[in-house]
Amino acid sequence: MSREHADHEIDVDKHVRTYIIVFVSLMALTLVTVAVAYLHLPTPAAIGVALLIATVKGSLVACYFMHLISERKLIYAVLAFTVFFFLAVLLGPLVTNLDEITT
Amino acid sequence: MSSAIPYTVEARPDTGLNNVKLGIWLFLASEVMLFGALFASYILLRVGAPTWPLGAEILNVPLATANTVVLITSSVTMVMAWASLMRRSFGKYRLYMGATVGLGFVFLIIKYIEYSSKFEHHLLPSTSTFLAIYFTLTGLHALHVIGGMAVNAYFLLPGAKMWKTDPQQFTNRVETAGLFWHFVDLVWIFLFPVLYLL
């Protein structure tokens, strides 16, 4: 086995350890999400907590499973545009409706 | 053969990426907008409704929790399938990729149980606005699961021949299929609390 190949394998081993830690974290956060739901918090607090946990879980998947933590700049640029337009689609219509929020 | 299409494995000098990686991310960006539009519809329908049911009162939270666990596990087996190829261990790749496809089936079976119990109780997309958006979002997500499984099954069986002729490109293909599969997992991570718990 060449030295380069050996280094490469060590690198993958490090990745695999990270995947296991992320997996355990995702499972734990899933349990927390469900447990919090049974606390019956007031709706705004429940939405805040649930979306916060989902965002943390989603970030873990994106950063480690999808390797975004060490990706090229061009991908970040594409995603920056995506995040901007995603938020525009999500929040744009909502701000026109703020007076009517009841549920 | 692989030289027919340039930059499938090696990075383009100007982007620093191979075209496959850039292509899948552009596709995923469009997918974010597709689901984003539906999430926006959900919010508008909800804030505009005089009352909105708690998902847990209509839907089956334990089954959906099980499905969350199934999908997260399948994301790990997917990434392990790719890591196995990086370690040049094709046998383990087969095992992990097989598990990924299998877990996809488990997800769909649980979804089927959920859907059929709704239909039995005459809870249809036309029953309420909540159920309409529930079936639209979970239905579209299930289609993505089926699509991802088809690609993964291809790379598990007939597509795996490439491992012998061009292992680097095959590893790349599996990584790309993985990016899509993780995205499907990511969408579910948001769908689950939004539809079932809030």
Side-chain angles (χ1 to χ4, degrees):
Chain A
M1 191 188 290
S2 71
R3 184 160 173 190
E4 197 181 307
H5 186 185
D7 286 350
H8 186 68
E9 292 226 331
I10 292 165
D11 202 38
V12 174
D13 284 344
K14 225 165 75 183
H15 273 292
V16 169
R17 271 198 297 277
T18 313
Y19 298 148
I20 293 164
I21 295 168
V22 170
F23 174 58
V24 173
S25 314
L26 288 171
M27 288 297 168
L29 286 170
T30 303
L31 283 181
V32 173
T33 313
V34 177
V36 168
Y38 285 104
L39 292 179
H40 299 294
L41 295 173
T43 307
I47 291 175
V49 173
L51 287 186
L52 180 73
I53 298 173
T55 307
V56 172
K57 285 171 73 182
S59 307
L60 284 173
V61 170
C63 287
Y64 297 102
F65 291 166
M66 301 173 90
H67 302 137
L68 268 189
I69 198 104
S70 54
E71 198 42 276
R72 297 276 169 181
K73 277 200 186 104
L74 185 64
I75 302 286
Y76 292 144
V78 168
L79 290 179
F81 271 107
T82 313
V83 168
F84 174 78
F85 285 108
F86 175 75
L87 289 178
V89 160
L90 214 61
L91 302 177
L94 191 64
V95 291
T96 63
N97 229 24
L98 281 181
D99 305 341
E100 296 169 29
I101 295 176
T102 50
T103 46
Chain B
M1 281 297 280
S2 61
S3 61
I5 301 171
Y7 306 116
T8 49
V9 173
E10 72 279 26
R12 263 178 74 120
D14 53 353
T15 60
L17 292 159
N18 62 59
N19 288 348
V20 183
K21 186 62 95 49
L22 183 59
I24 186 73
W25 275 109
L26 286 173
F27 173 64
L28 291 182
S30 78
E31 290 276 80
V32 169
M33 296 315 291
L34 172 66
F35 279 100
L38 284 167
F39 272 111
S41 309
Y42 166 89
I43 296 173
L44 277 180
L45 288 170
R46 181 167 177 160
V47 298
T51 58
W52 193 261
L54 184 66
E57 285 164 8
I58 300 173
L59 307 173
N60 191 325
V61 176
L63 279 185
T65 308
N67 252 351
T68 308
V69 171
V70 167
L71 221 48
I72 289 173
T73 310
S74 81
S75 244
V76 180
T77 55
M78 184 81 208
V79 87
M80 288 304 293
W82 169 78
S84 304
L85 290 182
M86 293 293 280
R87 288 165 154 170
R88 286 149 214 250
S89 167
F90 186 72
K92 277 197 178 155
Y93 159 76
R94 273 254 152 104
L95 220 64
Y96 282 121
M97 195 53 139
T100 309
V101 175
L103 287 165
F105 269 114
V106 173
F107 179 90
L108 288 178
I109 290 166
I110 293 178
K111 203 81 232 153
Y112 170 78
I113 295 170
E114 271 192 271
Y115 273 13
S116 40
S117 119
K118 295 290 155 292
F119 295 152
E120 267 171 33
H121 295 91
H122 302 288
L123 295 169
L124 305 169
S126 57
T127 309
S128 70
T129 310
F130 170 77
L131 282 167
I133 195 76
Y134 161 78
F135 279 111
T136 307
L137 276 166
T138 55
L140 183 69
H141 178 264
L143 283 178
H144 279 75
V145 172
I146 294 169
M149 280 172 64
V151 173
N152 290 346
Y154 174 75
F155 289 137
L156 176 66
L157 298 164
K161 275 190 296 208
M162 192 187 234
W163 176 248
K164 288 198 182 115
T165 54
D166 193 344
Q168 226 187 341
Q169 192 179 356
F170 182 66
T171 308
N172 245 27
R173 286 183 164 190
V174 169
E175 185 188 3
T176 310
L179 284 172
F180 179 77
W181 192 252
H182 301 313
F183 173 79
V184 172
D185 181 25
L186 210 156
V187 170
W188 181 259
I189 283 173
F190 282 92
L191 278 183
F192 170 56
V194 165
L195 292 174
Y196 289 82
L197 302 177
L198 296 175

